[in-house]
Amino acid sequence: MSRRFFSRAEAQALCEKLLKWTKADETQVSYSGAWHGDTRFARNEVTTSGSVEDGTVTVGSAFGKRRASASTNVFTDEALRACIGQAERLARLAPEDPEFMPALAPQQYTPVSAFFDSTANLSAEARGRAARFALELARAAGDLTAAGFIQANVGAQAVANSSGLFAYHQFTDVSYTLTVRTADGTGSGWAGESSSDWTRIDPEAIARRAAHKATASRNPVAVEPGAYTVVLEPQAVGDLVQTLAFSLDARSSDEGRGPFTKQGGGTKLGEKIVDERVTMLSDPADPALLTAPFDGDGLPLRRQVWIDRGVLTNLVYSRFWAQKQGKDPTGLPQSVRLMGGSQSIDDLVAGTDRGLLVTRFWYLRQVDPRTALITGLTRDGTFLIERGKITKAIKNFRFNESPLFLLSKVDGLGREERLGGVEAGGAVVMPTLRALDFHFTSLSDAV
């Protein structure tokens, strides 16, 4: 099976060749190549299994402050020269960019070892064996239907420019998500895991969790909307909290458009904004994250602590805004981690007198960017907790809540998990979390 992407030497040779052909004042070349293998199943049988292999080159050309880009996935000399020509023609026609930043000089990057043979060598047969646990469990139950998706990604990315910069990163990533429904259509359970290393994925545990939630959540009852103590599983925490990666934009806060704008002007940097148990960071080299140590321009991405024990310690600065404000640029984080604790989900449930256990959220929409307020629905297993025990499945709720409000009302932190599906463009690690007064506004009959 071919799993072809360029090595560091090959990517550098490609970039250097293109840079020699260019005529622009400044040129940036970006390369990405990847192999994706996936297995999809539904209604208790495998439906598709396949792979896609592709590579893309993007050329960004600048004449003065006029710039444009063009891309191709054909790597012949003729196609690459045509791509350069198109980028340069468009750049000459483009208006001047008032926020133009010159190409970066060569940079130093944090070493990140994000490539694992266990994922790179994950075959269709191995993915099928992993899916079989869920399929056989559902078939044996007689009244369960399983649907899931296993995807492995193996690839590399590189950035080079006419000022001598070159950056390269190779990676593997794999995720397995599973939904199990009951035959009567009233119960639904979900489970999933994500990692750079396939050996850290446990298909049997995923199958058991999803099936148990489906069975336990059948015939849900209605309870009144309102403010509840919640125990949010890591996926539910991630659904909300990872949106803060975008809200951390310094420019929005400086211009009065973000949740970290201080009333009367300025930002909340250095102020306590959430519970002191909350620490949120990004770190490409964190073994739980393992993401590219540079952004699309080749700017180094390093460990950044955004919230330290409840205090806002940093904001996201683009190169342009950092120069304007006299700050160091951070680049947009490709990962986010909310530090957790040692408690299990069962521990957090046992410490809850009355509340709700939420598996995950979906259909999220922003309501108010000034407060980071989000609306959405619970899904795939929502349960009532009474006197430290799960007593019944309940119908799904719509909620209105801000991740900042949520993190201000933390009442306990559990163990962390790496999640599949990343809004910020990379890895997300989140803990189980218990919080007070989470606002549910209405019931939903959707399963």
Side-chain angles (χ1 to χ4, degrees):
M1 180 184 301
S2 173
R3 299 184 182 178
R4 180 68 174 155
F5 58 88
F6 284 179
S7 66
R8 180 184 183 90
E10 291 169 326
Q12 190 163 13
L14 172 70
C15 293
E16 289 176 352
K17 179 172 70 173
L18 269 63
L19 290 169
K20 288 178 182 178
W21 291 346
T22 61
K23 300 176 182 178
D25 297 340
E26 289 186 352
T27 303
Q28 177 174 297
V29 177
S30 300
Y31 160 79
S32 65
W35 174 91
H36 311 279
D38 64 75
T39 297
R40 188 186 301 270
F41 54 96
R43 301 184 68 178
N44 289 347
E45 61 183 20
V46 174
T47 56
T48 59
S49 182
S51 63
V52 176
E53 183 180 345
D54 201 4
T56 302
V57 166
T58 300
V59 177
S61 301
F63 293 93
K65 293 186 177 182
R66 303 176 188 274
R67 62 179 176 179
S69 64
S71 299
T72 182
N73 65 349
V74 180
F75 283 37
T76 64
D77 285 359
E78 181 182 9
L80 293 170
R81 286 184 183 275
C83 181
I84 292 171
Q86 184 180 27
E88 292 181 349
R89 285 192 300 273
L90 292 172
R92 291 182 187 276
L93 295 171
E96 288 194 347
D97 183 353
E99 298 183 6
F100 177 84
M101 295 296 295
L104 285 166
Q107 304 287 310
Q108 295 293 318
Y109 302 106
T110 302
V112 176
S113 299
F115 188 93
F116 290 82
D117 288 337
S118 64
T119 304
N121 297 324
L122 186 63
S123 65
E125 292 78 11
R127 298 194 305 269
R129 288 193 297 271
R132 185 186 303 163
F133 294 117
L135 298 176
E136 292 181 347
L137 188 156
R139 291 168 186 158
D143 62 346
L144 297 178
T145 302
F149 189 54
I150 302 171
Q151 178 168 297
N153 304 300
V154 186
Q157 60 193 94
V159 179
N161 66 31
S162 51
S163 293
L165 176 144
F166 180 75
Y168 178 85
H169 174 70
Q170 66 176 13
F171 63 89
T172 56
D173 185 78
V174 62
S175 63
Y176 177 15
T177 57
L178 173 66
T179 300
V180 176
R181 293 284 181 97
T182 59
D184 61 9
T186 66
S188 181
W190 180 94
E193 294 180 4
S194 172
S195 180
S196 297
D197 180 0
W198 171 248
T199 64
R200 299 184 68 85
I201 303 293
D202 188 340
E204 292 186 69
I206 291 172
R208 288 193 297 269
R209 288 203 309 272
H212 172 74
K213 281 185 177 290
T215 301
S217 65
R218 59 159 52 102
N219 299 316
V221 300
V223 299
E224 285 295 318
Y228 286 85
T229 296
V230 290
V231 176
L232 304 182
E233 295 192 9
Q235 185 63 50
V237 177
D239 291 334
L240 291 182
V241 173
Q242 65 178 300
T243 62
L244 284 180
F246 297 104
S247 298
L248 284 165
D249 178 57
R251 184 171 188 172
S252 296
S253 296
D254 287 335
E255 293 180 343
R257 298 181 285 109
F260 303 110
T261 299
K262 186 187 299 185
Q263 190 171 7
T267 70
K268 296 179 181 178
L269 275 171
E271 295 185 7
K272 184 175 181 295
I273 59 167
V274 292
D275 188 271
E276 59 271 9
R277 283 169 283 196
V278 173
T279 293
M280 190 173 77
L281 57 86
S282 300
D283 184 358
D286 187 324
L289 298 171
L290 297 181
T291 53
F294 53 87
D295 70 4
D297 287 336
L299 180 73
L301 299 176
R302 300 185 175 91
R303 187 178 191 272
Q304 299 280 359
V305 179
W306 308 106
I307 301 172
D308 186 10
R309 290 170 289 183
V311 175
L312 180 66
T313 54
N314 211 344
L315 292 170
V316 174
Y317 286 88
S318 66
R319 291 178 62 210
F320 169 77
W321 200 249
Q323 182 185 67
K324 187 176 179 66
Q325 300 297 103
K327 303 284 188 178
D328 293 327
T330 64
L332 182 65
Q334 302 297 301
S335 60
V336 61
R337 180 176 185 176
L338 185 66
M339 303 302 290
S342 59
Q343 292 181 293
S344 67
I345 291 176
D346 290 342
D347 293 335
L348 293 172
V349 168
T352 304
D353 183 57
R354 190 170 192 275
L356 305 181
L357 173 65
V358 178
T359 299
R360 67 177 184 135
F361 298 118
W362 75 298
Y363 203 44
L364 304 182
R365 295 294 183 270
Q366 188 177 72
V367 176
D368 180 10
R370 288 293 304 273
T371 60
L373 187 68
I374 294 171
T375 188
L377 297 162
T378 63
R379 189 178 194 182
D380 297 322
T382 308
F383 304 93
L384 182 65
I385 302 169
E386 296 177 295
R387 297 184 180 87
K389 296 184 181 297
I390 295 173
T391 57
K392 61 189 69 173
I394 64 170
K395 289 189 175 183
N396 286 309
F397 277 119
R398 173 169 289 281
F399 70 88
N400 285 328
E401 193 63 83
S402 164
L404 288 173
F405 300 164
L406 170 72
L407 296 178
S408 297
K409 299 176 288 186
V410 170
D411 189 49
L413 289 170
R415 298 172 191 145
E416 303 164 27
E417 292 182 13
R418 191 177 192 267
L419 310 179
V422 182
E423 291 291 333
V428 173
V429 172
M430 293 286 152
T432 306
L433 181 152
R434 185 173 61 211
L436 308 176
D437 298 328
F438 192 96
H439 292 93
F440 295 100
T441 57
S442 61
L443 286 168
S444 171
D445 287 327
V447 175

